[in-house]
Amino acid sequence: MIRIVTLDEYDPLVLKALARSLYTAFGVGAEHSGVVTVPHGQQEPYDANKLLDSLPKVQAFADDKVLYLTTRKLAPRKLVSGEAPTYGLARYNSQRCVVSSAHMKGLAPDNVKVLARHAMQEVGHAFGLHHCLDPRCAMYPQWTPSYPAGDASFCTFCRDQSEQKIRQTKS
Ligand SMILES: [Zn+2]
Ligand SMILES: [Zn+2]
């Protein structure tokens, strides 16, 4: 199961629509499972790594994924060549990931495509999926200009990969 945990207030219908998209994408149940507060001492823009490490635990089974959602900005990552915007963070094959919707315009129950696409990528990473070269796929790198225009779907390869990974984690 994919557990959506919110750090800020969201329209419940947006969360429902997101859960539906994730269910369609991964073939595992998804639901809004709780609200948590960001630990003291962390300010916007959040350091995504610190956030992932310090967020309160929520009830989850070992094979669940926990997707934390925030309306606040995440601090850009510093690269040798400058800074790259951070829309979310997940570590490969781990339980938690975080997605920020701060940059998403017009988020509404009938418009969760961009949010779902970002969420699919981070949950995908948490299942062990890597970036993909197909621009239509949700695993395509998020910093590309065309990313937000894509659909909330995986290419055939990533879909197969995610099904395999999910089967493995269930064993
Ligand atoms: Zn990524
Ligand atoms: Zn793909």
Side-chain angles (χ1 to χ4, degrees):
M1 151 146 299
I2 299 163
R3 300 190 178 276
I4 302 166
V5 175
T6 47
L7 310 185
D8 304 287
E9 210 176 312
Y10 279 88
D11 179 344
L13 293 176
V14 163
L15 298 176
K16 259 201 175 139
L18 173 64
R20 243 190 332 266
S21 297
L22 291 174
Y23 171 70
T24 307
F26 290 97
V28 297
E31 66 175 27
H32 185 212
S33 300
V35 182
V36 296
T37 313
V38 173
H40 282 294
Q42 297 197 49
Q43 273 153 1
E44 190 178 8
Y46 296 133
D47 177 321
N49 271 300
K50 231 168 120 185
L51 198 62
L52 268 192
D53 289 335
S54 62
L55 281 170
K57 276 207 172 85
V58 293
Q59 264 212 316
F61 294 105
D63 59 355
D64 287 345
K65 296 298 175 196
V66 180
L67 166 66
Y68 293 96
L69 271 191
T70 179
T71 60
R72 315 292 178 102
K73 288 197 180 94
L74 301 175
R77 282 163 299 156
K78 290 188 175 55
L79 307 175
V80 194
S81 53
E83 286 188 334
T86 306
Y87 305 120
L89 181 73
R91 298 187 187 126
Y92 291 101
N93 302 310
S94 73
Q95 186 165 49
R96 325 175 130 194
C97 56
V98 61
V99 166
S100 161
S101 61
H103 60 289
M104 296 173 192
K105 294 191 177 67
L107 201 56
D110 61 351
N111 184 25
V112 295
K113 216 170 66 175
V114 184
L115 177 59
R117 201 159 151 86
H118 281 271
M120 282 168 68
Q121 174 153 149
E122 301 311 341
V123 174
H125 286 322
F127 274 119
L129 299 194
H130 291 271
H131 285 158
C132 170
L133 294 176
D134 183 342
R136 291 163 301 178
C137 179
M139 295 311 293
Y140 193 64
Q142 291 172 346
W143 56 83
T144 52
S146 70
Y147 189 83
D151 281 325
S153 58
F154 287 131
C155 69
T156 321
F157 175 79
C158 291
R159 171 84 199 191
D160 286 352
Q161 285 283 301
S162 82
E163 280 172 4
Q164 262 183 44
K165 303 279 187 184
I166 290 164
R167 266 199 307 275
Q168 286 165 10
T169 48
K170 272 187 182 147
S171 64

